Amino acid sequence: MEEMDVMGPVDYIVVEFPDGKVPKEVLPRVVDLVDQGTVRILDLAFLRKEADGSVVGLEIGETFDGEMDVRVFDGAASGLMGAEDRAEAAGVIEPGRAAMVVLYENLWAIPFASALRRSGAELVASGRIPVAALLDALDAADADHPVDA
């Protein structure tokens, strides 16, 4: 139980890049999140789905379109993300595109998660609302309840 008291929730994201390159603004933001203690990168992988549907793993240098020293991500391989996880991630990307798969621990949530566990509380559901869906819901709410001018 002591190990669980020092762990935050772990999430993953799959980000698709239509031209197969990670824009130069993206990876420095990931480094900022790590440097700020917001997240810990557990695994980081790059994939490309070929036109025939086959999937190949890519080295970070093959995908990054910027001047950053990408060696900072060397060693971001905890072993938690396996071949089955990569295959599942590849299932959501379009043929001819590349993707970055990131498995990360939410360090910001450790004190909260620890307090929940110590009190006997249990997280029974979680989810994520895509930004586009959130904006659509806000637009619909505005249309239903217009503000008087």
Side-chain angles (χ1 to χ4, degrees):
M1 190 62 163
E2 287 180 29
E3 287 180 355
M4 286 184 65
D5 280 343
V6 295
M7 290 200 60
V10 175
D11 289 321
Y12 73 92
I13 57 171
V14 179
V15 182
E16 182 180 78
F17 302 104
D19 64 359
K21 294 285 186 187
V22 179
K24 64 183 177 184
E25 301 85 16
V26 172
L27 292 179
R29 299 298 72 85
V30 173
V31 171
D32 288 348
L33 291 170
V34 171
D35 288 347
Q36 295 165 6
T38 304
V39 301
R40 176 186 352 240
I41 304 301
L42 300 173
D43 282 300
L44 180 70
F46 294 90
L47 311 171
R48 182 176 57 237
K49 185 183 273 188
E50 304 295 352
D52 67 1
S54 62
V55 178
V56 296
L58 300 172
E59 295 295 323
I60 192 169
E62 297 177 75
T63 62
F64 184 59
D65 189 20
E67 293 108 32
M68 181 181 167
D69 183 0
V70 294
R71 289 177 297 178
V72 69
F73 293 105
D74 284 349
S78 68
L80 293 171
M81 185 188 326
E84 186 176 307
D85 301 311
R86 287 181 181 83
E88 188 174 330
V92 299
I93 63 174
E94 295 294 321
R97 297 189 175 189
M100 174 175 73
V101 185
V102 185
L103 182 68
Y104 60 96
E105 178 184 6
N106 291 284
L107 298 177
W108 62 267
I110 290 173
F112 176 63
S114 294
L116 291 175
R117 286 189 285 267
R118 283 192 305 272
S119 71
E122 186 175 338
L123 178 65
V124 294
S126 69
R128 180 161 285 123
I129 301 170
V131 173
L134 180 63
L135 293 173
D136 289 346
L138 289 171
D139 287 344
D142 285 346
D144 289 343
H145 305 289
V147 176
D148 294 332

